[in-house]
Amino acid sequence: MNIFSNNIRGIGCEVNRSWLRDYRIQSCSFFVGLEETKSMEVKDSLDRQMWGSSTFQCEVIDPIGLSGGIASLWDPSFFNATDSIKGEGFLAIRGMWLRLRKKCCFVNVYAPQYPLKKRTLCNNLFNLINFDLDYCRFVFGDFNDGRLLEERLDSVFCQNSAYHFNKFIHSIGLLEIKMAGRRLTYMSSAGDKHSKLDRYLVSPNVIDTWPHLNVTAMPRVHSDHCAIILSSNQLDFGPYPFWLFNYWLKDLEFEMVLRNGWSISNHPSYRLHISPLPLVSCKLRNLKEHIKSWRKEIIEKTRKEMVELTNKINDIDLLAENG
């Protein structure tokens, strides 16, 4: 049970899509909730680039002009969706979690800024979630509200809004999963205001079914919001399949990798003790290991550069959080 949520602040950029795809695959998330997509093309042409394969389903609320937009994507081999409910500020997907035969409702929230519209959203969510109490309910996303004073730094904490937000959470019987990784999830463009606006709220029967849930706020990269991941047990899909990509052939180092990988058992004394088919099999297996080792070195080098840059950004954000 892994869920990925992020106010992506525009999904039209290829860098955002590739980053999202890599994070989703890395976290083994079967459900992805995006807020502020700012794109009308999510369901038509961009969704596969965001997911990483064609084995998914998608439902969206289109933005108004270049503002807003909500998208939910999921793996149908884990979750069989039966219906979707769309409202101002939320997108709910209901269906069956196949492995445990549990009815689940995933509510992706992008709350409006205005207090009156937030009240309307809370009322609509109250009616939706109380429709069938047998559902395991996951409510997550950008709520545009804080619950406690310490969830704001150098920004205005509205006690009235916090009161109504907490009242909604308690009245509907939801529980917030404690977040690790970061204390605050949003930073203003100027870098002078920080807030915790993103969170996961679940019904008690979710805790009964998945007792080891945890939430991690990831380092902020391409948005003003941190991505947050809800996870329980890590999913294991077994070893990755081996693919050879055409663009590798353009790399000057690849020819040497091929030569070294294919040169196994060239010694005449070795060839006398092995028939042609096992010999070819050994060569292919050795070639595969050489290519994997070569790719691993390149990936690690690239990943190290990305980690160093991300850590620099994260260090700056943490310094800003501390004033």
Side-chain angles (χ1 to χ4, degrees):
M1 171 62 73
N2 294 338
I3 304 174
F4 179 99
S5 174
N6 189 211
N7 181 321
I8 199 69
R9 204 181 183 187
I11 201 60
C13 174
E14 184 177 351
V15 174
N16 282 15
R17 298 196 300 273
S18 61
W19 168 81
L20 172 63
R21 179 185 64 245
D22 293 343
Y23 255 48
R24 188 206 70 79
I25 294 174
Q26 178 184 342
S27 62
C28 300
S29 298
F30 86 98
F31 198 101
V32 172
L34 303 176
E35 304 87 46
E36 203 173 358
T37 58
K38 296 184 179 181
S39 175
M40 303 286 288
E41 301 178 318
V42 174
K43 201 171 183 179
D44 298 326
S45 60
L46 300 182
D47 42 15
R48 181 171 181 175
Q49 299 176 39
M50 294 185 290
W51 188 263
S53 71
S54 58
T55 57
F56 68 94
Q57 293 178 348
C58 176
E59 193 59 69
V60 303
I61 295 178
D62 288 327
I64 300 175
L66 294 178
S67 176
I70 303 176
S72 292
L73 303 89
W74 63 91
D75 187 337
S77 64
F78 288 92
F79 177 66
N80 179 33
T82 55
D83 64 330
S84 63
I85 302 170
K86 301 179 181 180
E88 185 176 2
F90 75 92
L91 171 59
I93 309 296
R94 293 192 298 203
M96 182 72 69
W97 174 251
L98 297 176
R99 289 190 173 184
L100 299 179
R101 306 302 299 172
K102 285 281 187 178
K103 292 195 297 182
C104 295
C105 178
F106 299 94
V107 186
N108 188 2
V109 174
Y110 180 40
Q113 295 280 354
Y114 302 107
L116 289 179
K117 289 189 175 182
K118 287 180 184 178
R119 305 272 182 84
T120 302
L121 171 63
C122 289
N123 291 334
N124 292 336
L125 290 178
F126 184 89
N127 295 331
L128 168 69
I129 294 174
N130 278 338
F131 174 75
D132 190 341
L133 298 180
D134 291 336
Y135 278 92
C136 292
R137 292 154 288 173
F138 300 80
V139 187
F140 55 88
D142 179 4
F143 290 87
N144 261 319
D145 242 335
R147 301 186 63 185
L148 303 169
L149 179 61
E150 53 265 32
E151 293 181 351
R152 295 276 186 176
L153 180 64
D154 295 329
S155 61
V156 178
F157 175 71
C158 180
Q159 291 186 348
N160 188 48
S161 294
Y163 168 78
H164 287 286
F165 186 34
N166 286 316
K167 181 180 179 181
F168 157 74
I169 293 173
H170 293 309
S171 64
I172 210 167
L174 296 177
L175 305 172
E176 180 170 0
I177 306 299
K178 186 177 180 180
M179 187 176 71
R182 298 289 292 272
R183 183 168 62 90
L184 308 174
T185 63
Y186 165 79
M187 185 180 76
S188 64
S189 299
D192 57 345
K193 297 179 181 180
H194 300 261
S195 306
K196 181 181 178 181
L197 304 180
D198 311 85
R199 63 190 79 235
Y200 282 91
L201 306 172
V202 300
S203 55
N205 56 354
V206 170
I207 304 298
D208 295 336
T209 307
W210 294 277
H212 304 295
L213 288 178
N214 60 85
V215 173
T216 303
M218 309 303 293
R220 188 182 56 84
V221 182
H222 296 294
S223 172
D224 51 1
H225 287 254
C226 298
I228 53 175
I229 298 176
L230 176 76
S231 62
S232 56
N233 295 329
Q234 189 74 10
L235 300 177
D236 183 7
F237 295 100
Y240 290 101
F242 178 76
W243 295 334
L244 190 147
F245 295 93
N246 289 336
Y247 76 90
W248 293 353
L249 304 177
K250 299 179 181 180
D251 194 303
L252 298 178
E253 296 180 359
F254 192 63
E255 181 179 353
M256 186 58 64
V257 173
L258 291 178
R259 290 181 182 275
N260 294 336
W262 197 255
S263 64
I264 186 175
S265 61
N266 277 340
H267 196 278
S269 62
Y270 184 83
R271 290 201 299 267
L272 292 175
H273 296 88
I274 190 168
S275 60
L277 286 180
L279 176 61
V280 172
S281 176
C282 288
K283 283 177 171 289
L284 290 174
R285 186 162 54 248
N286 189 60
L287 178 60
K288 174 182 175 181
E289 293 303 320
H290 273 70
I291 294 175
K292 287 173 65 176
S293 177
W294 170 68
R295 286 298 302 164
K296 185 177 180 180
E297 291 178 2
I298 294 177
I299 291 172
E300 285 299 321
K301 181 180 178 181
T302 304
R303 185 173 297 168
K304 184 178 179 181
E305 293 175 353
M306 289 293 295
V307 168
E308 289 176 353
L309 292 173
T310 302
N311 287 340
K312 288 182 180 179
I313 295 173
N314 195 42
D315 290 342
I316 294 171
D317 283 354
L318 292 176
L319 287 174
E321 281 189 6
N322 293 326

